[in-house]
């Protein structure tokens, strides 16, 4: 009788353990965040149109951050290569992630 009680207790403990594990989060490793490449594009002389001219650091040409009239930064997904030249997708022109001004 003692063995039966121990067996029943063991079965109940196992079932409870399985049931409890169903309500816990799976231990997943955090995936490393991938950073998307960004590109700086200069604006035209009027400061209203993005050109295809890229710069790696616009701070010398465009030292301020008042208006987006000198250079704009875009994620790679916001750009495309047309005829071998990278340019900003027309739908993304006003969705820059950063910008610089002349003054």
């Amino acid at each position: 009788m003692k063995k039966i009680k121990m067996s029943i207790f063991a079965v109940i403990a196992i079932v409870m353990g399985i049931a409890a594990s169903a309500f816990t989060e799976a231990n997943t490793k955090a995936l490393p965040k991938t950073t998307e490449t960004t590109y700086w594009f200069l604006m035209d002389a009027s400061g209203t149109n993005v050109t295809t001219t890229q710069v790696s650091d616009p701070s010398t040409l465009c030292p301020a951050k008042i208006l987006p009239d000198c250079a704009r930064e875009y994620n790679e997904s916001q750009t495309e290569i047309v005829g071998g030249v990278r340019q900003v997708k027309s739908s993304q022109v006003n969705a820059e992630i950063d910008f610089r001004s002349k003054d």
Side-chain angles (χ1 to χ4, degrees):
M1 191 72 168
K2 193 173 187 179
K3 285 186 178 184
I4 294 175
K5 286 182 183 180
M6 287 297 277
S7 296
I8 292 172
F9 179 75
V11 169
I12 291 173
I14 291 171
V15 170
M16 288 177 65
I18 292 170
S21 68
F23 295 104
T24 60
E25 272 188 50
N27 186 12
T28 58
K29 292 182 180 179
L31 296 175
K33 292 183 179 181
T34 56
T35 56
E36 192 172 358
T37 303
T38 62
Y39 300 95
W40 281 98
F41 291 88
L42 295 179
M43 302 297 287
D44 66 1
S46 69
T48 56
N49 299 307
V50 180
T51 68
T52 57
T53 305
Q54 295 180 48
V55 293
S56 58
D57 181 13
S59 59
T60 56
L61 297 170
C62 315
K65 189 171 179 179
I66 302 168
L67 297 170
D69 64 355
C70 184
R72 294 182 183 181
E73 184 180 27
Y74 296 90
N75 284 319
E76 184 173 19
S77 61
Q78 294 176 292
T79 67
E80 60 189 351
I81 297 176
V82 177
V85 178
R86 183 172 299 278
Q87 64 185 25
V88 179
K89 294 177 182 176
S90 59
S91 64
Q92 298 295 312
V93 168
N94 293 318
E96 70 274 358
I97 59 171
D98 199 0
F99 62 87
R100 294 293 182 267
S101 303
K102 294 175 188 170
D103 298 320

